[in-house]
Amino acid sequence: MTSAGAAFRLVRAGWILTREGVVAALPGDELSGFPKFGWRIARLLTRRRARHRQRSERLAGAVARLGPSYVKLGQFLATRPDVVGNDIAVDLALLQDRMHTFPREQAVHGIEGSLGRSVDELFVELDAPVAAASIAQVHSAQVARDAGAAKVAVKVIRPGVRKAFARDLESFFLAARLQERWIPSSRRLKPIEVTETLAQTTKIEMDLRLEAAALSEIGENTRDDPGFRVPHVDWERTGRDVLTMEWVDGIKMSDVEGLRAAGHDLPKIAANLIQSFLRHTLRDGFFHADMHPGNLFVEADGTIVAVDLGIAGRLGKKERRFLAEILYGFIMRDYRRVAEVHFEAGYVPHKHNVSAFAQAIRAIGEPIHGQSAETISMAKLLTLLFEVTELFDMQTRPELILLQKTMVVVEGVARTLDPAFNMWKTSEPVVGHWIAANLGPRGMLGDAREGVHALMSLARQAPEIAARTERLSREIDAMAEHGLRFDEATARAIGKAEARHTRSGRVALWVIALALVWIGWKLM
């Protein structure tokens, strides 16, 4: 049942978004009926000082008032341009996850509670916090090693953050349910499923052991890669609420002038960044999904060090093949093959015509080949591609959307370092090598081996599958003869659930209505 508190918090959030001009900044001219009326009212209620700000500034102002849960909501929605649109996704991606630090004593309490050992036993010295975000803050510290004291970074979960997120998630779910119920056109975007994904993503990000595991996995994958690495994890000093890793001495990639002053080859770093990202994506199927310049450092020898792996993306072999063949197809101008890959992967229903789809793909690819290489954006290409595939009933693929968002960020960082950056020339060696290794004769042998293993596994399960099939056949015969029946307890449970759903919906609507009346009275 939805609590009254969740409804009041949702009304408060809507009021703040309205006053800060976020609602008024949305493209309301395309709306009609009651939504357009509400948009016009929102424009009248916008603060005077907010009316002259850009939409990204309005979002930042609203989120600063709403708190850390809404920072994470905004950053999450930035990964879903299919839900909020590309322009708004870009604005949301600019939200800065910077919060006030919490006292060192609370950090000590969290560390000791998570690891079961005193801070004095774990660290030679634990310094004041150096950075703070919505979920955690980072301290510098010293640990004892055989060669002497070593500097480390200690990430500690913010006190009470799980309870605060759980409370705000209740409001997010209420908003999603109301949206599905009262805005039928939004149902195809599956707002409840989107909120469930946010809840799951946040839970994972709040368990620092999982971030440590992601760092460890990427560390193993990139052990022999030139010019890229991640910090080493100190597992002895890592738990659910604390992550200890090596301290990175380097220049943040956001400090372009600092990199240039240090004598770094910026075009070389840009090329290394893109090739590393594509290598992780295609070769490993596991990539850092939050590679903004604040999370990337450059060491003295030019090595890129990526930190903050709370968000990571995975691609299966089918998705990797899909991506590689699409990119290579555009490079070689083989639009028919690009179209066929969509059908082979099952992303576009077979009721559509391959040739017609290839024609739509050509409409994207040909204008690109008429431009200079420096102006061609792979991220923009993927954006246009997803817009075209939507016309052919391609279902949303969250893993591909996350990949697209990350590629937008990574490509933007590369172009900041090198305005004349040639995305296609830089990516071709990595993409071409992966295709040669996985789609050529060697790849066919690998597919054949996997097929043999799958057949052997199926053969081992044959007796169990036969037994299940026999049971299912008997149950279907019984249903055909007697019909589908619920026992008394199941029927009562269904009735109670339906009654709860109806009652909670009415309560939420009444609470929201009363809150709006109260707000109107305060304004008079």
Side-chain angles (χ1 to χ4, degrees), residues 98-120:
R98 296 173 184 168
M99 304 294 293
H100 295 298
T101 60
F102 53 87
R104 181 183 180 279
E105 292 73 23
Q106 291 184 341
V108 168
H109 181 73
I111 293 169
E112 293 180 343
S114 181
L115 300 179
R117 296 164 64 185
S118 70
V119 165
D120 293 336

Side-chain angles (χ1 to χ4, degrees), residues 18 23-24 26 28-46 51:
T18 299
V23 178
L26 298 176
D29 291 325
E30 301 174 2
L31 299 174
S32 61
F34 185 75
K36 187 161 188 175
F37 173 75
W39 177 72
R40 287 174 173 168
I41 294 297
R43 294 182 68 184
L44 294 175
L45 294 176
T46 299
R51 294 175 183 175

Side-chain angles (χ1 to χ4, degrees), residues 54-208:
Q54 298 292 327
R55 185 168 57 199
S56 58
E57 296 174 333
R58 298 182 185 191
L59 278 168
V63 165
R65 293 181 61 187
L66 288 169
S69 301
Y70 286 84
V71 174
K72 280 300 165 193
L73 174 64
Q75 292 176 334
F76 172 77
L77 291 176
T79 70
R80 297 299 303 271
D82 58 314
V83 174
V84 297
N86 289 314
D87 292 340
I88 295 176
V90 170
D91 289 338
L92 289 171
L94 297 175
L95 289 176
Q96 297 296 308
D97 193 358
R98 296 173 184 168
M99 304 294 293
H100 295 298
T101 60
F102 53 87
R104 181 183 180 279
E105 292 73 23
Q106 291 184 341
V108 168
H109 181 73
I111 293 169
E112 293 180 343
S114 181
L115 300 179
R117 296 164 64 185
S118 70
V119 165
D120 293 336
E121 182 183 352
L122 292 164
F123 303 102
V124 175
E125 184 179 350
L126 180 69
D127 299 324
V130 296
S134 56
I135 287 180
Q137 72 181 21
V138 178
H139 297 251
S140 62
Q142 300 280 339
V143 297
R145 303 286 191 214
D146 293 338
K151 192 174 183 180
V152 294
V154 184
K155 188 173 182 178
V156 187
I157 287 289
R158 184 175 289 276
V161 69
R162 292 187 180 90
K163 184 177 180 180
F165 269 85
R167 186 179 62 243
D168 286 331
L169 278 170
E170 190 180 4
S171 299
F172 298 162
F173 275 111
L174 172 59
R177 287 194 294 270
L178 291 173
Q179 183 179 351
E180 281 205 358
R181 183 169 183 178
W182 298 108
I183 310 177
S185 60
S186 71
R187 290 171 188 163
R188 68 178 184 83
L189 300 175
K190 303 176 181 177
I192 292 178
E193 288 187 21
V194 170
T195 309
E196 288 172 348
T197 304
L198 169 64
Q200 180 64 18
T201 301
T202 305
K203 285 179 183 177
I204 292 173
E205 200 171 350
M206 288 183 188
D207 190 334
L208 296 184

Side-chain angles (χ1 to χ4, degrees), residues 48 57 165 188 208 214 218 240 287 292 318 359 417:
R48 184 174 301 174
E57 296 174 333
F165 269 85
R188 68 178 184 83
L208 296 184
I218 285 191
R240 189 182 75 146
F287 59 91
H292 64 75
K318 183 175 78 170
Q359 178 184 352
L417 298 173

Side-chain angles (χ1 to χ4, degrees), residues 308-326:
D308 195 358
L309 245 166
I311 305 174
R314 290 192 184 273
L315 293 180
K317 189 169 184 180
K318 183 175 78 170
E319 287 77 23
R320 284 182 270 166
R321 175 180 173 178
F322 171 75
L323 174 65
E325 289 219 55
I326 281 179

Side-chain angles (χ1 to χ4, degrees), residues 129-443:
V130 296
S134 56
I135 287 180
Q137 72 181 21
V138 178
H139 297 251
S140 62
Q142 300 280 339
V143 297
R145 303 286 191 214
D146 293 338
K151 192 174 183 180
V152 294
V154 184
K155 188 173 182 178
V156 187
I157 287 289
R158 184 175 289 276
V161 69
R162 292 187 180 90
K163 184 177 180 180
F165 269 85
R167 186 179 62 243
D168 286 331
L169 278 170
E170 190 180 4
S171 299
F172 298 162
F173 275 111
L174 172 59
R177 287 194 294 270
L178 291 173
Q179 183 179 351
E180 281 205 358
R181 183 169 183 178
W182 298 108
I183 310 177
S185 60
S186 71
R187 290 171 188 163
R188 68 178 184 83
L189 300 175
K190 303 176 181 177
I192 292 178
E193 288 187 21
V194 170
T195 309
E196 288 172 348
T197 304
L198 169 64
Q200 180 64 18
T201 301
T202 305
K203 285 179 183 177
I204 292 173
E205 200 171 350
M206 288 183 188
D207 190 334
L208 296 184
R209 294 170 298 188
L210 299 180
E211 181 178 344
L215 283 167
S216 177
E217 184 175 348
I218 285 191
E220 290 181 3
N221 292 342
T222 61
R223 184 184 297 116
D224 301 321
D225 288 0
F228 184 93
R229 71 182 189 88
V230 294
H232 301 296
V233 175
D234 184 341
W235 284 102
E236 180 186 353
R237 297 170 178 83
T238 294
R240 189 182 75 146
D241 295 342
V242 56
L243 165 60
T244 304
M245 59 196 138
E246 75 170 289
W247 183 268
V248 178
D249 282 317
I251 302 172
K252 278 191 177 184
M253 209 169 278
S254 55
D255 184 6
V256 178
E257 290 305 317
L259 292 171
R260 187 176 287 114
H264 288 293
D265 186 340
L266 299 191
K268 184 178 179 181
I269 292 174
N272 181 24
L273 177 65
I274 290 295
Q275 290 184 346
S276 295
F277 171 70
L278 289 173
R279 201 176 288 119
H280 305 160
T281 303
L282 294 174
R283 181 193 65 194
D284 308 325
F286 186 52
F287 59 91
H288 192 314
D290 195 17
M291 294 181 74
H292 64 75
N295 283 342
L296 299 168
F297 291 82
V298 180
E299 295 182 309
D301 63 354
T303 297
I304 297 171
V305 185
V307 301
D308 195 358
L309 245 166
I311 305 174
R314 290 192 184 273
L315 293 180
K317 189 169 184 180
K318 183 175 78 170
E319 287 77 23
R320 284 182 270 166
R321 175 180 173 178
F322 171 75
L323 174 65
E325 289 219 55
I326 281 179
L327 295 179
Y328 204 70
F330 275 106
I331 291 171
M332 304 305 295
R333 301 173 77 171
D334 188 352
Y335 306 120
R336 175 81 183 189
R337 182 58 193 149
V338 175
E340 289 172 347
V341 169
H342 280 78
F343 281 82
E344 290 172 7
Y347 293 154
V348 175
H350 285 279
K351 67 180 181 180
H352 293 289
N353 184 276
V354 177
S355 298
F357 189 52
Q359 178 184 352
I361 298 298
R362 181 179 292 274
I364 298 172
E366 283 304 298
I368 287 176
H369 284 282
Q371 301 177 30
S372 62
E374 290 79 8
T375 63
I376 300 173
S377 167
M378 186 183 292
K380 185 176 180 181
L381 167 68
L382 289 178
T383 300
L384 293 172
L385 180 64
F386 290 151
E387 287 177 0
V388 167
T389 53
E390 193 176 325
L391 299 175
F392 288 82
D393 302 319
M394 177 173 166
Q395 294 294 310
T396 297
R397 305 289 304 185
E399 68 278 11
L400 296 179
I401 295 295
L402 183 60
L403 171 71
Q404 177 202 1
K405 172 260 181 185
T406 309
M407 190 169 287
V408 168
V409 174
V410 174
E411 188 176 7
V413 175
R415 291 191 187 277
T416 301
L417 298 173
D418 179 14
F421 181 70
N422 186 329
M423 184 69 175
W424 296 100
K425 184 177 179 181
T426 305
S427 61
E428 187 173 359
V430 178
V431 177
H433 179 268
W434 190 89
I435 286 180
N438 291 272
L439 302 181
R442 190 167 31 157

